[in-house]
Amino acid sequence: CAERVQPKQHTIETTLAWLIPIALFSGMRLDEICGLRTEHVRRERRVLYFDLQSHEGRRLKTAAARRLVPVHSELLRMGFSSYIAHIRHEGHEYLFPALKPGGPDNKRSWYASKRFVIYRRSLGVTAKETVFHCFPVANLQAVKTIYATAVINAFIFCVNTR
């Protein structure tokens, strides 16, 4: 969708269009994603990745949260590289310029979290367990399942998983 890749105006809707798949395919927390600056999306040896680090305006939750997260191929297929180029061309500091700090902690994720609740309810999804934080959990479960399958194949069926 052209509006996802090169939005004419940056809104919470155009932001959610990226926040949800990034969370699903990266396992990153909402606050980590919302606090990304354009400089935190880097490329090395043809691999695009998120460089998660603390900065003025965002403190990572734990020391282990400081990490490099590769951009999933599905995000690239959706046009994420073009979105990054568009945001940089416009001169924005943050990856999602529509987000403004808010809430008691003055976090950039505060409004996104509230709007996600409105969005999921508009789809008829009302279970309390379906909060934004379910995406990184789903990602972790998928990784565990894939890893477990690879280990089982390697040890039980003697299948080379590389």
Side-chain angles (χ1 to χ4, degrees), residues 6 21-22 29 38-39 47 59 72 82 86 90 104 107 121 123 146 149 154 156 158:
Q6 294 186 345
I22 289 172
R29 296 178 182 99
T38 57
E39 67 192 58
V47 175
R59 185 181 61 83
H72 194 279
S82 296
H86 177 70
E90 291 184 330
K107 291 184 176 182
R121 287 180 181 160
L123 297 174
I146 291 167
T149 301
I156 296 177
C158 300

Side-chain angles (χ1 to χ4, degrees), residues 9-63:
Q9 181 178 3
H10 298 282
T11 65
I12 191 64
E13 288 77 19
T14 62
T15 299
L16 282 174
W18 282 115
L19 292 181
I20 294 169
I22 289 172
L24 181 61
F25 291 113
S26 73
M28 292 165 41
R29 296 178 182 99
L30 178 62
D31 192 52
E32 292 172 335
I33 302 167
C34 292
L36 285 169
R37 292 180 173 168
T38 57
E39 67 192 58
H40 297 145
V41 181
R42 300 190 173 146
R43 183 179 303 275
E44 186 174 323
R45 296 183 186 163
R46 298 181 5 175
V47 175
L48 195 64
Y49 64 92
F50 300 106
D51 184 0
L52 296 180
Q53 54 186 278
S54 293
H55 58 75
E56 183 181 326
R58 193 222 17 228
R59 185 181 61 83
L60 294 176
K61 194 169 182 177
T62 66

Side-chain angles (χ1 to χ4, degrees), residues 41-105:
V41 181
R42 300 190 173 146
R43 183 179 303 275
E44 186 174 323
R45 296 183 186 163
R46 298 181 5 175
V47 175
L48 195 64
Y49 64 92
F50 300 106
D51 184 0
L52 296 180
Q53 54 186 278
S54 293
H55 58 75
E56 183 181 326
R58 193 222 17 228
R59 185 181 61 83
L60 294 176
K61 194 169 182 177
T62 66
R66 171 69 174 100
R67 64 199 188 279
L68 305 178
V69 179
V71 174
H72 194 279
S73 60
E74 188 62 21
L75 295 173
L76 297 174
R77 190 192 65 72
M78 294 168 66
F80 189 69
S81 292
S82 296
Y83 175 76
I84 297 297
H86 177 70
I87 292 296
R88 287 180 174 152
H89 177 75
E90 291 184 330
H92 295 290
E93 177 183 9
Y94 283 93
L95 200 53
F96 303 106
L99 298 177
K100 306 299 179 215
D105 297 333

Side-chain angles (χ1 to χ4, degrees), residues 104-120:
D105 297 333
N106 207 33
K107 291 184 176 182
R108 295 178 61 81
S109 59
W110 193 78
Y111 290 109
S113 178
K114 303 296 179 204
R115 287 303 300 258
F116 175 75
V117 171
I118 293 167
Y119 172 70
R120 73 171 170 82

